[in-house]
Amino acid sequence: MNKALRKTVIAGNWKMNKTPSEAAALIEEIKPLVKGADCEVVVCVPFVDLHVAIEAVKESNIKVGAQNCHFERSGAFTGEISPVMLKEMGVEYVIIGHSERRTYFGETDVTVNKRTLAALNEGLKVILCVGEYLEQREQGITEELVAMQTKIALQNVTEEQLKNVIIAYEPVWAIGTGKTATAEQANEVNGIIRATIEKLYGKAAADGITIQYGGSMNAANATELLAQPHVDGGLIGGASLKAQDFAAIVKAASV
Ligand code: 13P
């Protein structure tokens, strides 16, 4: 286990927040605050904000991500966006398998795998989300569950493609609830995910993969979470919508 072998990535997941004009304004606010950060900084914005976001981050160290993509290149899939479309726009990252997509939009481990493969085949970087519900934690199946989610999501993903995958552990009970996993809980599950990667791809791949924590991460708790040996960054919801808070987390990751 060697933290120096992997990139620390702080990504904001704006979810369904910010119109295009609001997105441009927020990025302008964030830009000077994260300049010179010693970690990767990503903002994952709603589809309709991608264009202005890509323009706004030019000549800055901020990267732009989407929050989902379909698994086909094109076709009769009303309301969906394909990875080809994202790539052509200049999008670099895409979140796949967020628990809100799994819970509210029928996303399954199998469709998460299909979307992951499609995004990787198009050259996008994937932020793959896994995590348990509170009931599952109480049933004592967190370990098996995140290992299973990780394994299924990565079916047929090559070792080379894995270099473009970040995994985000997001316990569902900690998302938007203000109830953060303890640093120990986050580190433990991130370690389980890393062990799963080692079983599938070997030690070098496991040492190299960035595994984030997400779930009520904020300026106050980021330092402790990010200090954990298996926590290589954060996927930030609410706190990513406030420039100062997001920048404080980026700063905590840059030490
Ligand atoms: P919150 O930071 O608002 O809990 O959201 C976390 C999340 O779901 C990021 O993807």
Side-chain angles (χ1 to χ4, degrees):
M1 181 177 64
N2 190 342
K3 256 194 138 165
L5 295 173
R6 41 193 183 259
K7 192 154 53 170
T8 301
V9 182
I10 299 296
N13 174 9
W14 290 9
K15 309 193 179 184
M16 198 175 72
N17 294 290
K18 304 294 174 188
T19 65
S21 61
E22 290 168 347
L26 180 53
I27 290 172
E28 289 309 327
E29 227 187 308
I30 294 171
K31 262 198 308 201
L33 301 176
V34 302
K35 201 174 149 202
D38 191 20
C39 65
E40 182 97 325
V41 182
V42 187
V43 289
C44 298
V45 305
F47 287 127
V48 295
D49 296 348
L50 286 169
H51 183 72
V52 291
I54 287 162
E55 287 302 311
V57 301
K58 277 189 180 148
E59 281 153 48
S60 82
N61 57 329
I62 304 174
K63 307 288 169 57
V64 172
Q67 298 172 11
N68 185 29
C69 71
H70 197 259
F71 39 83
E72 295 293 346
R73 292 175 61 86
S74 63
F77 301 101
T78 303
E80 290 288 316
I81 299 289
S82 89
V84 189
M85 296 168 180
L86 298 178
K87 187 69 186 173
E88 188 184 304
M89 286 188 82
V91 172
E92 198 169 327
Y93 284 86
V94 60
I95 297 172
I96 304 278
H98 192 279
S99 64
E100 285 148 19
R101 298 232 41 102
R102 296 177 191 254
T103 304
Y104 306 132
F105 302 103
E107 201 77 59
T108 65
D109 288 327
V110 172
T111 57
V112 168
N113 172 238
K114 288 171 82 168
R115 289 177 205 262
T116 299
L117 281 171
L120 291 171
N121 286 337
E122 219 47 59
L124 294 164
K125 293 176 183 155
V126 169
I127 300 176
L128 168 66
C129 301
V130 299
E132 81 287 3
Y133 288 98
L134 183 59
E135 189 187 15
Q136 294 168 323
R137 175 162 283 267
E138 287 168 353
Q139 287 165 339
I141 61 167
T142 300
E143 182 169 343
E144 291 88 344
L145 188 92
V146 297
M148 182 185 80
Q149 289 176 330
T150 304
K151 269 190 194 172
I152 298 174
L154 294 175
Q155 297 271 309
N156 299 318
V157 171
T158 67
E159 195 179 335
E160 197 50 37
Q161 286 178 318
L162 189 75
K163 291 177 184 156
N164 282 328
V165 176
I166 290 171
I167 299 177
Y169 166 54
E170 297 209 311
V172 183
W173 48 270
I175 294 177
T177 57
K179 200 176 161 197
T180 322
T182 64
E184 292 71 27
Q185 286 171 327
N187 190 57
E188 185 191 6
V189 180
N190 279 28
I192 289 162
I193 295 167
R194 200 176 306 285
T196 305
I197 296 296
E198 182 167 353
K199 269 189 223 153
L200 295 172
Y201 295 95
K203 184 161 176 4
D207 279 342
I209 192 164
T210 296
I211 306 180
Q212 301 173 315
Y213 167 78
S216 300
M217 195 189 258
N218 58 38
N221 59 31
T223 301
E224 194 190 355
L225 285 160
L226 293 168
Q228 299 303 308
H230 286 297
V231 179
D232 310 315
L235 185 56
I236 325 295
S240 73
L241 297 170
K242 295 187 195 111
Q244 296 289 347
D245 291 3
F246 186 61
I249 298 169
V250 169
K251 193 164 173 226
S254 297
V255 290

